[in-house]
Amino acid sequence: DSFFGHPEYGAEDSYYDSLDTPYGAKDAPYEIVDEMLLVSGMTPQIFHAIKPYITVYGEGFVNLNTASSMVRRALGFSETTADNMVLYLKGNDALAGTGDDRFFSGLTTIATEMETTANMPLSSDDQRILANLTAAANVALYSTVFSAHITATLDRNNAAVELDTVIDRKGKVKLAQASGVLWPAR
């Protein structure tokens, strides 16, 4: 507690000022994901493990129609339920992106949908977790931003460039960043 001015909110200036390279607590939303490296207790190993699952864009909730099993486990769901939710959404062929894919139609009906449609019941603990996440508005069934990774290859000189983008529902580009310059295609 001596380093933390607000224990429920994390480290404050007194902690960050005591570092070899001191800096003040931001006390504001992150602007780029790499700012997580400045958080008390974050290590490069932890950061690289979670980086594919975090974003600074969006409204602060997780879309249960698109979240990975790993993200579902981070929300508190059991491994079985997290995996079953992903499998349920893939439909009968268990392949994402095919014509039989499913989606959850309501947060309060997820347990019923999974049990009646696919015989994948949620445990009482997982039903409680879902109810708590729903009540706290930590989950939703839609997204406010979308990301795309684009690779363009030029045939005549066999060069390519990759672009990462984030776009909101209105089509506004939040991020357009080349992840490299032209190089020979793979």
Side-chain angles (χ1 to χ4, degrees):
D1 268 354
S2 63
F3 282 90
F4 303 108
H6 301 288
E8 65 266 10
Y9 302 119
E12 292 298 321
D13 288 332
S14 60
Y15 167 77
Y16 293 112
D17 286 341
S18 71
L19 299 174
D20 291 339
T21 305
Y23 52 92
K26 184 169 184 176
D27 294 330
Y30 297 115
E31 296 171 49
I32 60 171
V33 170
D34 288 4
E35 285 182 276
M36 290 287 298
L37 285 165
L38 301 174
V39 172
S40 170
M42 181 61 66
T43 66
Q45 295 81 9
I46 294 171
F47 176 73
H48 291 295
I50 67 170
K51 188 175 181 179
Y53 306 104
I54 60 176
T55 184
V56 296
Y57 303 103
E59 303 298 321
F61 55 79
V62 173
N63 180 347
L64 289 180
N65 275 321
T66 60
S68 69
S69 183
M70 183 70 73
V71 169
R72 293 168 199 279
R73 288 191 299 251
L75 289 172
F77 291 109
S78 69
E79 184 175 349
T80 299
T81 291
D83 291 347
N84 279 347
M85 288 174 134
V86 172
L87 188 60
Y88 171 84
L89 294 167
K90 290 180 179 180
N92 293 332
D93 66 4
L95 298 171
T98 60
D100 71 336
D101 289 2
R102 300 181 183 114
F103 62 91
F104 295 124
S105 60
L107 289 169
T108 59
T109 60
I110 288 175
T112 305
E113 290 177 46
M114 287 183 63
E115 185 165 6
T116 58
T117 306
N119 195 26
M120 297 177 175
L122 269 63
S123 69
S124 58
D125 285 346
D126 285 326
Q127 287 184 39
R128 180 184 44 77
I129 289 166
L130 178 58
N132 290 340
L133 290 167
T134 300
N138 291 327
V139 292
L141 299 177
Y142 62 94
S143 297
T144 58
V145 293
F146 306 89
S147 63
H149 181 80
I150 303 161
T151 302
T153 305
L154 302 174
D155 286 335
R156 73 183 147 146
N157 63 0
N158 206 28
V161 66
E162 292 186 1
L163 179 70
D164 291 305
T165 64
V166 177
I167 303 166
D168 70 14
R169 284 187 162 280
K170 296 177 183 176
K172 181 179 179 188
V173 176
K174 302 284 204 172
L175 170 75
Q177 174 180 342
S179 55
V181 292
L182 292 176
W183 66 87
R186 295 178 216 156

